[in-house]
Amino acid sequence: MSKGFNMGGMNRNQMMAQARKMQEQLMAAQQKAAETEVTASAGGGAVKVSATGDLRLTSITIDPDALDPADVEMLQDMILAAVNDVLESAEQAASQQINAATGGFSIPGLF
């Protein structure tokens, strides 16, 4: 009778050590993603938005020339476009960091 749980030549202690290592790599990747900053713009650079990989906006810059009281709707559209673009870029950057740490193994609930 064999001792311990054996799965494909790997005992329980080895599996636990492997799981801890993967968790540490995942935490490091999440931290790196949170520190990664991306920027997007709209309206030929009239609106610029920056965000981090943890999907937090860090800045919004609006060129004063884009402030036209007669066309507020255009400015709003540019802001929405820039925010959506930067959030998509931030999510992709974070996803790349996570995939690098997990070897492409998909973990539900993470990006």
Side-chain angles (χ1 to χ4, degrees):
M1 196 158 122
S2 69
K3 290 184 179 182
F5 181 76
N6 190 335
M7 186 172 174
M10 187 181 289
N11 70 32
R12 183 169 186 229
N13 289 338
Q14 289 171 318
M15 286 176 47
M16 293 300 289
Q18 198 64 12
R20 273 192 299 277
K21 181 179 177 184
M22 185 176 205
Q23 183 179 20
E24 289 170 4
Q25 290 172 331
L26 182 58
M27 288 173 49
Q30 287 174 318
Q31 180 64 35
K32 188 173 181 181
E35 295 169 356
T36 300
E37 190 165 334
V38 294
T39 301
S41 64
V47 175
K48 295 178 186 172
V49 180
S50 296
T52 56
D54 59 353
L55 306 181
R56 298 188 73 61
L57 296 179
T58 57
S59 72
I60 296 176
T61 305
I62 300 171
D63 185 329
D65 292 338
L67 302 173
D68 181 356
D71 199 357
V72 173
E73 190 173 312
M74 182 178 71
L75 178 58
Q76 292 169 341
D77 290 344
M78 286 189 292
I79 293 169
L80 281 174
V83 168
N84 286 330
D85 285 349
V86 80
L87 291 178
E88 184 178 325
S89 295
E91 189 172 35
Q92 288 175 356
S95 181
Q96 289 174 352
Q97 296 292 335
I98 300 300
N99 284 338
T102 63
F105 181 73
S106 178
I107 299 173
L110 288 178
F111 301 97

